[in-house]
Amino acid sequence: MNYNLTAEQDMIVRSLRAFREQELEPHEAEVDRTGEVPEELGRQINQTAVEMGFYAPNLPEDIGGGGLDYKTLALFERELGKTSYGLHGFIHRPSEILLACADEQIEKYLMPCVTGEKKEVFALTEPGAGSDIMSMATTAKRDGEDFIINGSKHFISSPVIPDFAILFAWTGVQQSKRGERKLVTAFLIDRGTPGFAIERGPRCAAQRAYHTWQLSFNQCRVHQSQILGAEGQGFELADKWLKMGRVWVAAAACGKLERLLELATEYAAQRKQFGQPIGKFQGTSFKLADMATDLQAADLLVMFAADKADQGIMEPDDAAKAKLFASEAVGRAADSAIQIFGGMGLMEELPIERLWRDARLDRIWDGTSEIQRHIISRSLLRQYES
């Protein structure tokens, strides 16, 4: 990247790069093969991240977090995006909606996530409600001072079994211009709560060491003190996390794209066919040119969105444009890299095929490319609505 970084940003990027190259990348092939990060390795990454000040970089300094602004966080995600989520997931960025914790919730949930003692999961997606959040079927029905929760969640991501879930369930309805609208509430629910079960989900072809979990709730009773934020305001909390989550996916995609470009360029300069490096053939060199152009455009979209987020003026379509372009650009780059490497690109001895598989997920999670296009087009057409 060719940005005018501040001295602090440059130091953070350099430190993260060294950490990634020395502590994470040596393990990425093995954890991808096994689909597991050994417990001791995860603990070591977690501890080192806390010691180096990398842990909870997105939370305020006054509670022990890194206090980084959004542009610096984008650089943070970009650098770590070059390797497995299963590994850098131990350098945790807790959900910012935990800042809505109040009273006893602060010491029980927020602070342990800042120090690395606990890990949460963001439990929103359901088998019948992915991008269509309002189709959510999980319910929380009031019973005096308690709520009885029933339903299930899937594709809930975490490298380790979570200590608690930030669960979204609908608790009522209200009338809107388009008819009834579900009121969604967020709850903090500890693992081990009666009626709450967690089990591993199916293994994914991408990000194999970054597990998916299935959460089920069967007459799970929780006290109203477990509500995060205000009753009926869960969708607003979720929306804040989802919008910035799309920027972080885009930033990580930029990191993967840069790594692919570096690997492909080096190989094209060294691999010879017909008496000259394959990079001298337009069939190869034009692919490199497209990858480099896509990378710069994706980086600019990410930093534009992050800069607006720092100003408090980022719109949903800003995040959508960054995620749409970056996720599709890294997909194109991964395919081009495979083609440049030829058969070797598909061999497990090299990281190309793994980056190719991992890049495919970026067009799906945190909102598919189709959803991003919907958000963008809706923002264009809104001015013409009566």
Side-chain angles (χ1 to χ4, degrees):
M1 241 187 353
N2 190 25
Y3 290 120
N4 294 318
L5 304 184
T6 66
E8 181 186 14
Q9 288 172 335
D10 184 63
M11 179 191 69
I12 289 171
V13 171
R14 287 175 182 274
S15 298
L16 277 170
R17 182 172 300 135
F19 181 80
R20 171 180 58 81
E21 292 174 347
Q22 296 167 20
E23 305 293 335
L24 304 182
E25 278 187 19
H27 304 287
E28 61 183 10
E30 181 63 14
V31 301
D32 181 79
R33 185 186 67 80
T34 63
E36 298 285 346
V37 176
E39 186 176 341
E40 180 56 35
L41 175 60
R43 186 162 42 244
Q44 176 186 322
I45 294 170
N46 186 295
Q47 181 179 342
T48 305
V50 171
E51 291 172 353
M52 295 185 69
F54 293 154
Y55 207 85
N58 57 319
L59 298 184
E61 286 185 283
D62 59 8
I63 62 170
L68 300 184
D69 59 34
Y70 287 122
K71 285 187 289 187
T72 307
L73 281 168
L75 298 172
F76 196 100
E77 294 294 325
R78 187 186 190 280
E79 191 59 41
L80 292 180
K82 296 176 183 179
T83 191
S84 165
Y85 270 81
L87 290 166
H88 76 70
F90 288 90
I91 309 171
H92 195 41
R93 175 171 46 78
S95 174
E96 291 173 34
I97 67 176
L98 286 172
L99 294 174
C101 284
D103 304 323
E104 294 179 356
Q105 295 176 348
I106 294 172
E107 292 302 320
K108 186 176 181 181
Y109 298 105
L110 174 60
M111 296 311 298
C113 286
V114 176
T115 59
E117 298 169 74
K118 287 185 177 181
K119 285 187 172 64
E120 85 290 355
V121 286
F122 184 83
L124 181 65
T125 303
E126 298 182 4
S131 298
D132 182 11
I133 297 173
M134 284 296 108
S135 292
M136 181 183 299
T138 300
T139 61
K141 296 184 178 179
R142 183 175 281 279
D143 182 21
E145 294 186 349
D146 295 340
F147 284 84
I148 309 299
I149 301 175
N150 287 283
S152 63
K153 304 288 180 177
H154 77 162
F155 295 160
I156 308 304
S157 304
S158 173
V160 296
I161 189 168
D163 296 290
F164 68 95
I166 304 173
L167 172 76
F168 295 86
W170 66 280
T171 51
V173 294
Q174 67 177 7
Q175 292 298 322
S176 70
K177 292 180 180 179
R178 297 179 180 179
E180 286 190 345
R181 181 178 184 272
K182 290 179 180 177
L183 291 172
V184 176
T185 301
F187 294 87
L188 299 166
I189 307 184
D190 297 291
R191 189 178 81 235
T193 299
F196 174 24
I198 306 177
E199 60 180 15
R200 281 280 294 274
R203 182 177 179 179
C204 185
Q207 299 292 354
R208 288 178 173 170
Y210 194 57
H211 301 151
T212 63
W213 302 89
Q214 296 182 169
L215 282 54
S216 59
F217 301 86
N218 183 14
Q219 294 295 108
C220 179
R221 179 181 291 270
V222 297
H223 190 262
Q224 62 187 13
S225 62
Q226 297 299 107
I227 290 176
L228 178 63
E231 183 177 346
Q233 297 299 307
F235 182 74
E236 287 74 14
L237 285 175
D239 192 50
K240 291 178 183 178
W241 180 249
L242 289 172
K243 280 191 291 189
M244 288 313 302
R246 288 165 182 156
V247 179
W248 307 146
V249 170
C254 290
K256 282 196 287 289
L257 203 166
E258 183 175 64
R259 188 177 177 190
L260 284 161
L261 177 59
E262 290 172 350
L263 290 166
T265 302
E266 181 181 9
Y267 187 78
Q270 295 176 354
R271 170 69 167 168
K272 291 185 177 181
Q273 289 286 280
F274 304 103
Q276 61 181 333
I278 62 172
K280 289 186 176 293
F281 297 107
Q282 287 186 353
T284 298
S285 64
F286 283 12
K287 287 182 176 64
L288 297 174
D290 287 343
M291 291 166 73
T293 303
D294 274 352
L295 176 59
Q296 186 167 344
D299 272 329
L300 289 169
L301 279 166
V302 169
M303 296 307 287
F304 179 77
D307 182 58
K308 290 187 72 174
D310 279 327
Q311 299 177 59
I313 57 173
M314 188 184 80
E315 297 292 338
D317 63 305
D318 296 320
K321 289 170 185 173
K323 184 184 183 295
L324 173 64
F325 187 85
S327 65
E328 298 202 342
V330 74
R332 292 191 293 269
D335 193 67
S336 292
I338 292 281
Q339 203 67 21
I340 290 169
F341 274 83
M344 283 305 299
L346 291 168
M347 300 299 110
E348 292 184 348
E349 283 77 6
L350 297 177
I352 307 299
E353 63 86 24
R354 184 170 63 254
L355 290 166
W356 179 52
R357 285 186 284 107
D358 289 350
R360 187 61 184 88
L361 185 56
D362 290 341
R363 282 179 272 169
I364 296 175
W365 60 2
D366 282 75
T368 63
S369 290
E370 290 74 18
I371 286 295
Q372 308 314 317
R373 287 185 168 92
H374 174 68
I375 292 169
I376 296 163
S377 61
R378 189 174 59 186
S379 72
L380 293 171
L381 294 168
R382 189 171 292 118
Q383 62 182 310
Y384 297 103
E385 293 178 358
S386 56

